[in-house]
Coordinates of all heavy atoms in Angstrom, one line a residue:
M1 N 79.4 147.5 212.0 CA 79.4 147.0 213.3 C 79.4 145.5 213.3 O 78.7 144.9 212.4 CB 78.2 147.5 214.1 CG 78.1 147.0 215.5 SD 77.1 148.0 216.6 CE 78.0 149.5 216.6
N2 N 80.1 144.9 214.2 CA 80.2 143.4 214.2 C 78.9 142.8 214.8 O 78.3 143.3 215.7 CB 81.4 143.0 215.0 CG 82.7 143.4 214.4 OD1 82.8 143.5 213.1 ND2 83.7 143.5 215.2
V3 N 78.6 141.7 214.2 CA 77.4 140.9 214.7 C 77.9 140.0 215.8 O 79.0 139.4 215.7 CB 76.8 140.1 213.6 CG1 75.7 139.2 214.1 CG2 76.3 141.0 212.5
P4 N 77.3 140.0 217.0 CA 77.7 139.2 218.1 C 77.8 137.7 217.7 O 77.1 137.2 216.9 CB 76.6 139.4 219.2 CG 75.9 140.6 218.8 CD 76.0 140.7 217.3
E5 N 78.7 137.0 218.3 CA 78.9 135.6 218.1 C 77.6 134.9 218.4 O 76.9 135.2 219.4 CB 80.0 135.0 219.0 CG 80.4 133.6 218.7 CD 81.6 133.1 219.4 OE1 82.4 133.9 219.8 OE2 81.7 131.9 219.6
G6 N 77.3 133.9 217.5 CA 76.0 133.2 217.7 C 74.9 133.7 216.9 O 73.8 133.2 217.0
Y7 N 75.1 134.8 216.2 CA 74.0 135.5 215.4 C 74.5 135.6 214.0 O 75.7 135.7 213.7 CB 73.7 136.9 215.9 CG 73.0 136.9 217.3 CD1 73.8 137.0 218.5 CD2 71.7 136.8 217.5 CE1 73.2 137.1 219.7 CE2 71.1 136.9 218.7 CZ 71.9 137.0 219.8 OH 71.3 137.0 221.1
V8 N 73.5 135.7 213.1 CA 73.8 136.0 211.7 C 72.8 137.0 211.2 O 71.7 137.1 211.7 CB 73.7 134.7 210.7 CG1 74.8 133.8 211.0 CG2 72.3 134.1 210.9
V9 N 73.2 137.9 210.3 CA 72.3 138.9 209.7 C 71.3 138.3 208.8 O 71.6 137.4 208.0 CB 73.1 140.0 209.0 CG1 72.2 141.0 208.3 CG2 74.1 140.7 209.9
T10 N 70.0 138.8 208.8 CA 69.0 138.4 207.9 C 68.3 139.6 207.4 O 68.2 140.6 208.1 CB 68.0 137.4 208.6 OG1 67.0 137.1 207.6 CG2 67.3 138.1 209.8
D11 N 67.9 139.6 206.1 CA 67.1 140.7 205.6 C 65.6 140.5 205.8 O 64.8 141.4 205.5 CB 67.4 140.8 204.1 CG 68.8 141.3 203.8 OD1 69.4 142.0 204.6 OD2 69.3 140.9 202.7
D12 N 65.2 139.4 206.3 CA 63.8 139.0 206.5 C 63.4 139.3 207.9 O 63.8 138.5 208.8 CB 63.6 137.6 206.1 CG 62.1 137.2 206.1 OD1 61.3 137.9 206.6 OD2 61.8 136.1 205.5
V13 N 62.6 140.3 208.2 CA 62.2 140.6 209.5 C 61.4 139.4 210.1 O 61.4 139.2 211.4 CB 61.4 141.9 209.6 CG1 60.0 141.7 208.9 CG2 61.1 142.4 211.0
Y14 N 60.8 138.6 209.3 CA 60.0 137.5 209.8 C 60.9 136.4 210.3 O 60.5 135.5 211.1 CB 59.0 137.0 208.8 CG 57.9 137.9 208.5 CD1 58.0 138.8 207.5 CD2 56.8 137.9 209.3 CE1 56.9 139.7 207.3 CE2 55.7 138.8 209.1 CZ 55.8 139.7 208.1 OH 54.8 140.6 207.9
K15 N 62.2 136.4 209.9 CA 63.1 135.4 210.4 C 64.0 135.9 211.5 O 64.7 135.2 212.2 CB 64.0 134.9 209.2 CG 63.3 134.1 208.2 CD 64.3 133.7 207.1 CE 63.6 132.9 206.0 NZ 64.4 132.6 204.9
A16 N 63.9 137.2 211.7 CA 64.7 137.9 212.8 C 64.3 137.5 214.2 O 63.1 137.6 214.4 CB 64.8 139.4 212.6
S17 N 65.2 137.2 215.0 CA 64.8 137.0 216.5 C 65.2 138.2 217.3 O 64.7 138.5 218.3 CB 65.6 135.8 217.0 OG 67.0 135.9 216.9
H18 N 66.2 139.0 216.7 CA 66.7 140.2 217.4 C 67.0 141.3 216.4 O 67.1 141.1 215.1 CB 68.0 139.9 218.1 CG 67.7 138.9 219.3 ND1 67.6 137.6 219.0 CD2 67.6 139.1 220.6 CE1 67.4 136.9 220.2 NE2 67.4 137.9 221.1
W19 N 67.3 142.5 216.9 CA 67.8 143.6 216.1 C 68.9 144.2 216.8 O 68.9 144.4 218.1 CB 66.6 144.7 215.9 CG 67.0 145.9 215.2 CD1 67.3 146.0 213.9 CD2 67.2 147.2 215.8 NE1 67.6 147.3 213.6 CE2 67.6 148.1 214.7 CE3 67.2 147.7 217.1 CZ2 67.9 149.4 214.9 CZ3 67.5 149.1 217.3 CH2 67.8 149.9 216.2
I20 N 70.0 144.5 216.1 CA 71.2 145.2 216.7 C 71.3 146.6 216.2 O 71.2 146.8 215.0 CB 72.5 144.4 216.5 CG1 73.7 145.0 217.2 CG2 72.8 144.2 215.0 CD1 74.9 144.2 217.3
A21 N 71.3 147.5 217.1 CA 71.4 148.9 216.8 C 72.9 149.3 216.4 O 73.8 148.8 217.0 CB 71.0 149.8 218.0
H22 N 73.0 150.1 215.4 CA 74.3 150.6 214.9 C 74.5 152.1 215.3 O 73.5 152.8 215.6 CB 74.5 150.5 213.4 CG 74.5 149.0 213.0 ND1 75.3 148.1 213.6 CD2 73.9 148.4 212.0 CE1 75.1 146.9 213.0 NE2 74.2 147.1 212.0
V23 N 75.7 152.6 215.3 CA 75.9 154.0 215.5 C 75.2 154.8 214.4 O 75.3 154.4 213.2 CB 77.4 154.4 215.4 CG1 77.6 155.9 215.5 CG2 78.2 153.7 216.6
D24 N 74.4 155.8 214.8 CA 73.6 156.6 213.8 C 73.9 158.0 214.2 O 73.3 158.6 215.1 CB 72.1 156.2 213.9 CG 71.4 156.8 212.7 OD1 71.8 157.9 212.2 OD2 70.3 156.3 212.4
E25 N 74.8 158.6 213.5 CA 75.3 160.0 213.8 C 74.2 161.0 213.7 O 74.3 162.1 214.1 CB 76.5 160.4 212.9 CG 76.4 160.1 211.5 CD 76.5 158.7 211.0 OE1 77.2 157.8 211.7 OE2 75.8 158.4 210.1
R26 N 73.0 160.7 213.1 CA 71.9 161.6 213.0 C 71.2 161.8 214.4 O 70.5 162.8 214.5 CB 70.9 161.1 212.0 CG 71.4 160.9 210.6 CD 70.5 160.2 209.7 NE 70.1 158.9 210.3 CZ 69.0 158.2 210.0 NH1 68.1 158.7 209.1 NH2 68.8 157.1 210.5
F27 N 71.4 160.9 215.3 CA 70.6 161.0 216.5 C 71.5 160.6 217.7 O 72.4 159.8 217.6 CB 69.5 160.0 216.5 CG 68.5 160.1 215.4 CD1 68.6 159.4 214.2 CD2 67.5 161.1 215.5 CE1 67.8 159.6 213.2 CE2 66.6 161.3 214.4 CZ 66.8 160.5 213.3
S28 N 71.2 161.2 218.9 CA 71.9 160.8 220.1 C 71.2 159.6 220.7 O 70.1 159.3 220.4 CB 71.9 162.0 221.1 OG 70.6 162.2 221.6
V29 N 71.9 158.9 221.7 CA 71.3 157.8 222.3 C 70.0 158.3 223.1 O 69.0 157.6 223.1 CB 72.3 157.1 223.3 CG1 71.6 156.1 224.2 CG2 73.4 156.5 222.5
E30 N 70.1 159.5 223.6 CA 68.9 160.0 224.3 C 67.7 160.1 223.4 O 66.6 159.9 223.8 CB 69.2 161.3 225.0 CG 70.2 161.3 226.1 CD 71.7 161.1 225.7 OE1 72.0 161.5 224.5 OE2 72.5 160.6 226.5
E31 N 68.0 160.5 222.2 CA 66.9 160.7 221.2 C 66.4 159.4 220.7 O 65.2 159.2 220.5 CB 67.4 161.5 220.0 CG 67.6 163.0 220.3 CD 68.2 163.7 219.2 OE1 69.3 163.2 218.6 OE2 67.7 164.8 218.8
S32 N 67.3 158.4 220.5 CA 66.9 157.2 219.8 C 66.4 156.1 220.9 O 65.6 155.2 220.5 CB 68.1 156.6 219.1 OG 69.1 156.2 220.0
R33 N 66.9 156.3 222.1 CA 66.5 155.3 223.2 C 67.0 153.9 222.9 O 66.5 153.0 223.5 CB 65.0 155.3 223.4 CG 64.4 156.6 223.8 CD 64.8 157.0 225.2 NE 64.1 158.1 225.8 CZ 64.6 159.3 226.0 NH1 65.8 159.5 225.8 NH2 63.8 160.3 226.5
V34 N 68.0 153.8 222.0 CA 68.7 152.5 221.8 C 70.2 152.7 221.9 O 70.6 153.8 221.5 CB 68.3 151.8 220.5 CG1 66.8 151.4 220.5 CG2 68.5 152.7 219.3
I35 N 70.9 151.7 222.3 CA 72.4 151.8 222.4 C 73.0 151.1 221.3 O 72.8 149.9 221.1 CB 72.8 151.3 223.8 CG1 72.2 152.1 224.9 CG2 74.3 151.2 223.9 CD1 72.4 151.5 226.3
P36 N 73.9 151.8 220.6 CA 74.7 151.1 219.5 C 75.4 149.9 220.0 O 76.1 149.9 221.0 CB 75.6 152.2 219.0 CG 75.0 153.5 219.3 CD 74.3 153.2 220.6
G37 N 75.3 148.8 219.2 CA 76.0 147.6 219.6 C 75.1 146.6 220.5 O 75.5 145.5 220.7
K38 N 74.1 147.2 221.0 CA 73.2 146.3 221.9 C 72.2 145.5 221.1 O 71.7 146.0 220.1 CB 72.5 147.2 222.9 CG 71.7 146.4 223.9 CD 71.2 147.2 225.1 CE 70.4 146.3 226.0 NZ 69.9 147.1 227.2
V39 N 72.0 144.3 221.5 CA 71.0 143.4 220.8 C 69.7 143.5 221.5 O 69.6 143.4 222.7 CB 71.5 142.0 220.8 CG1 70.5 141.0 220.3 CG2 72.8 141.9 220.1
Y40 N 68.6 143.8 220.7 CA 67.3 143.9 221.3 C 66.4 142.8 220.7 O 66.4 142.6 219.5 CB 66.7 145.3 220.9 CG 67.4 146.4 221.5 CD1 68.5 147.0 220.8 CD2 67.0 146.9 222.7 CE1 69.1 148.1 221.4 CE2 67.7 148.0 223.3 CZ 68.7 148.6 222.6 OH 69.4 149.6 223.2
A41 N 65.7 142.1 221.6 CA 64.8 141.0 221.1 C 63.6 141.6 220.4 O 63.1 142.6 220.7 CB 64.3 140.2 222.3
M42 N 63.3 140.9 219.3 CA 62.1 141.3 218.5 C 60.9 140.7 219.1 O 60.9 139.6 219.6 CB 62.2 140.8 217.1 CG 63.4 141.3 216.3 SD 63.3 143.0 215.8 CE 61.9 143.0 214.8
I43 N 59.8 141.5 219.2 CA 58.6 141.1 219.8 C 57.5 141.3 218.7 O 57.5 142.4 218.1 CB 58.2 142.0 221.0 CG1 59.3 141.9 222.1 CG2 56.8 141.7 221.5 CD1 59.2 143.0 223.1
M44 N 56.7 140.3 218.5 CA 55.6 140.4 217.5 C 54.3 140.5 218.1 O 53.9 139.6 218.9 CB 55.7 139.3 216.5 CG 54.6 139.5 215.4 SD 54.8 138.2 214.1 CE 53.6 138.8 212.9
D45 N 53.5 141.5 217.8 CA 52.1 141.6 218.2 C 51.3 140.8 217.2 O 51.1 141.3 216.0 CB 51.7 143.1 218.2 CG 50.3 143.3 218.6 OD1 49.5 142.4 218.4 OD2 50.0 144.4 219.2
L46 N 50.8 139.7 217.6 CA 50.1 138.8 216.6 C 48.8 139.4 216.2 O 48.4 139.3 215.0 CB 49.9 137.4 217.3 CG 51.1 136.6 217.6 CD1 50.8 135.4 218.3 CD2 51.9 136.3 216.3
R47 N 48.1 140.1 217.0 CA 46.9 140.7 216.7 C 47.0 141.8 215.6 O 46.3 141.9 214.6 CB 46.1 141.3 217.9 CG 44.7 141.6 217.6 CD 44.0 142.1 218.9 NE 43.5 143.4 218.7 CZ 43.7 144.5 219.4 NH1 44.4 144.3 220.5 NH2 43.3 145.6 219.1
E48 N 48.0 142.7 215.8 CA 48.2 143.8 214.9 C 49.2 143.5 213.8 O 49.4 144.3 212.9 CB 48.8 145.0 215.7 CG 47.8 145.5 216.8 CD 46.5 146.1 216.2 OE1 46.5 146.6 215.1 OE2 45.5 146.0 216.9
Q49 N 49.9 142.3 213.9 CA 50.9 141.9 212.9 C 52.0 143.0 212.8 O 52.4 143.4 211.7 CB 50.2 141.7 211.5 CG 49.3 140.5 211.5 CD 50.0 139.2 211.8 OE1 50.8 138.8 211.1 NE2 49.6 138.5 212.9
E50 N 52.5 143.5 213.9 CA 53.5 144.5 214.0 C 54.7 143.9 214.8 O 54.5 143.2 215.8 CB 53.0 145.8 214.6 CG 52.0 146.4 213.8 CD 51.4 147.7 214.5 OE1 51.4 147.7 215.7 OE2 51.0 148.6 213.8
F51 N 55.9 144.4 214.5 CA 57.1 144.1 215.3 C 57.5 145.2 216.1 O 57.3 146.4 215.8 CB 58.2 143.7 214.3 CG 58.0 142.4 213.6 CD1 57.5 142.4 212.3 CD2 58.4 141.2 214.2 CE1 57.3 141.2 211.6 CE2 58.2 140.0 213.5 CZ 57.6 140.0 212.2
W52 N 58.1 144.9 217.3 CA 58.5 145.9 218.3 C 59.8 145.4 218.9 O 60.1 144.2 218.9 CB 57.5 146.0 219.4 CG 56.1 146.4 218.9 CD1 55.1 145.6 218.6 CD2 55.6 147.7 218.8 NE1 54.0 146.3 218.2 CE2 54.3 147.6 218.4 CE3 56.1 149.0 219.1 CZ2 53.5 148.7 218.2 CZ3 55.3 150.1 218.9 CH2 54.0 150.0 218.4
V53 N 60.5 146.3 219.5 CA 61.6 146.0 220.4 C 61.3 146.8 221.7 O 60.6 147.8 221.7 CB 63.0 146.4 219.9 CG1 63.3 145.6 218.6 CG2 63.1 147.9 219.6
L54 N 61.9 146.4 222.8 CA 61.8 147.2 224.0 C 63.0 148.1 224.1 O 64.2 147.7 224.0 CB 61.9 146.3 225.3 CG 60.6 145.5 225.5 CD1 60.8 144.6 226.8 CD2 59.4 146.4 225.7
D55 N 62.8 149.4 224.1 CA 63.9 150.4 224.1 C 64.5 150.5 225.5 O 64.1 149.8 226.5 CB 63.5 151.8 223.6 CG 62.5 152.5 224.4 OD1 62.3 152.1 225.6 OD2 61.8 153.4 223.9
E56 N 65.4 151.4 225.7 CA 66.1 151.5 227.0 C 65.2 152.0 228.1 O 65.6 151.9 229.3 CB 67.3 152.5 226.9 CG 68.5 151.8 226.0 CD 68.9 150.5 226.6 OE1 69.3 150.5 227.8 OE2 69.0 149.5 225.9
D57 N 64.1 152.6 227.8 CA 63.1 153.0 228.8 C 62.1 151.9 229.1 O 61.2 152.1 229.9 CB 62.3 154.3 228.3 CG 63.2 155.5 228.2 OD1 64.2 155.5 228.9 OD2 62.9 156.3 227.4
G58 N 62.2 150.8 228.4 CA 61.3 149.7 228.6 C 60.0 149.8 227.9 O 59.1 149.1 228.1
A59 N 60.0 150.8 227.0 CA 58.8 151.0 226.2 C 58.9 150.3 224.8 O 59.9 150.1 224.3 CB 58.6 152.5 225.9
L60 N 57.7 149.9 224.3 CA 57.7 149.3 223.0 C 58.1 150.3 222.0 O 57.6 151.5 222.0 CB 56.3 148.7 222.7 CG 55.8 147.5 223.5 CD1 54.4 147.2 223.2 CD2 56.7 146.3 223.2
S61 N 58.9 149.9 221.1 CA 59.5 150.9 220.1 C 59.6 150.2 218.7 O 59.9 149.0 218.6 CB 60.9 151.3 220.6 OG 61.6 152.1 219.6
M62 N 59.5 151.0 217.7 CA 59.8 150.6 216.3 C 61.1 151.3 215.9 O 61.2 151.7 214.7 CB 58.7 150.9 215.4 CG 57.5 150.0 215.7 SD 56.2 150.4 214.4 CE 55.0 149.1 214.8
A63 N 62.1 151.4 216.8 CA 63.3 152.1 216.5 C 64.0 151.5 215.3 O 64.7 152.3 214.5 CB 64.3 151.9 217.7
F64 N 63.8 150.3 215.0 CA 64.5 149.6 213.8 C 64.0 150.3 212.5 O 64.6 150.1 211.4 CB 64.3 148.1 213.8 CG 62.8 147.7 213.9 CD1 62.0 147.6 212.8 CD2 62.3 147.4 215.2 CE1 60.7 147.2 212.9 CE2 61.0 147.0 215.3 CZ 60.2 146.9 214.2
L65 N 62.9 151.0 212.5 CA 62.4 151.6 211.3 C 63.1 153.0 211.1 O 63.1 153.5 210.0 CB 60.9 151.9 211.4 CG 60.0 150.6 211.4 CD1 58.5 151.0 211.6 CD2 60.2 149.8 210.2
M66 N 63.6 153.6 212.1 CA 64.2 154.9 212.1 C 65.7 155.0 212.2 O 66.3 155.9 211.7 CB 63.5 155.8 213.2 CG 62.0 155.9 213.0 SD 61.3 156.7 214.5 CE 61.1 155.2 215.5
F67 N 66.3 154.0 212.9 CA 67.7 154.1 213.2 C 68.5 153.0 212.5 O 67.9 151.9 212.2 CB 67.9 154.0 214.7 CG 67.1 155.1 215.4 CD1 66.0 154.7 216.2 CD2 67.3 156.4 215.3 CE1 65.2 155.6 216.8 CE2 66.6 157.4 215.9 CZ 65.5 157.0 216.7
K68 N 69.7 153.2 212.3 CA 70.6 152.2 211.6 C 70.7 150.9 212.5 O 70.8 151.0 213.7 CB 72.0 152.8 211.4 CG 72.0 153.9 210.4 CD 73.4 154.4 210.2 CE 73.4 155.6 209.2 NZ 74.7 156.2 209.1
G69 N 70.7 149.8 211.9 CA 70.8 148.5 212.6 C 70.6 147.4 211.6 O 70.4 147.6 210.4
D70 N 70.8 146.2 212.2 CA 70.6 145.0 211.4 C 69.6 144.0 212.1 O 69.6 143.9 213.3 CB 71.9 144.2 211.2 CG 72.8 144.8 210.1 OD1 72.3 145.2 209.1 OD2 74.0 144.9 210.4
F71 N 68.8 143.4 211.3 CA 68.0 142.3 211.8 C 68.9 141.1 211.9 O 69.6 140.8 210.9 CB 66.8 142.0 210.9 CG 65.8 143.1 210.9 CD1 65.6 143.8 209.7 CD2 65.0 143.4 212.0 CE1 64.6 144.8 209.7 CE2 64.1 144.4 212.0 CZ 63.9 145.1 210.8
I72 N 68.9 140.4 213.0 CA 69.7 139.2 213.2 C 68.9 138.1 213.7 O 67.8 138.3 214.3 CB 70.9 139.5 214.1 CG1 70.5 140.0 215.5 CG2 71.9 140.5 213.4 CD1 71.6 140.3 216.4
T73 N 69.4 136.9 213.5 CA 68.8 135.7 214.1 C 69.9 134.8 214.7 O 71.0 134.9 214.3 CB 68.0 134.9 213.0 OG1 67.3 133.9 213.6 CG2 68.9 134.4 211.9
M74 N 69.5 134.0 215.7 CA 70.4 133.1 216.3 C 70.8 132.0 215.4 O 69.9 131.5 214.6 CB 69.8 132.5 217.6 CG 69.5 133.5 218.7 SD 68.9 132.5 220.1 CE 68.5 133.9 221.1
K75 N 72.1 131.7 215.4 CA 72.5 130.5 214.6 C 71.9 129.3 215.2 O 71.6 129.2 216.4 CB 74.0 130.3 214.6 CG 74.8 131.4 213.9 CD 76.3 131.1 214.0 CE 77.0 132.2 213.3 NZ 78.5 132.0 213.4
E76 N 71.7 128.3 214.3 CA 71.1 127.0 214.8 C 72.0 126.4 215.8 O 73.2 126.3 215.6 CB 70.8 126.1 213.7 CG 69.6 126.6 212.8 CD 69.3 125.6 211.7 OE1 69.4 124.4 211.9 OE2 68.9 126.1 210.6
A77 N 71.4 125.9 216.9 CA 72.2 125.1 217.9 C 72.5 123.7 217.4 O 71.7 123.1 216.7 CB 71.5 125.1 219.2
I78 N 73.7 123.3 217.7 CA 74.1 121.9 217.3 C 73.9 121.1 218.6 O 74.6 121.3 219.6 CB 75.6 121.9 216.8 CG1 75.7 122.8 215.6 CG2 76.0 120.4 216.6 CD1 77.1 122.9 215.1
C79 N 73.1 120.1 218.5 CA 72.8 119.3 219.7 C 73.4 117.9 219.6 O 73.6 117.4 218.6 CB 71.3 119.1 219.9 SG 70.4 120.7 220.1

């Protein structure tokens, strides 16, 4: 799956600003609650030191642990 313009893939979750879901033939969208190709903002719970995304139901989710996707970060802006 292509990474949207303005983003680059990172292997470091601590550097990721977003996660992009990929097609995962093991699960339906209804089961995964994430849409392939959609970019989800990463949310960090500072107290618990855990990362989350908001799924399609608006619930906190750790979908990135179960479903195919890439951690991505915004490219640096040129000012």
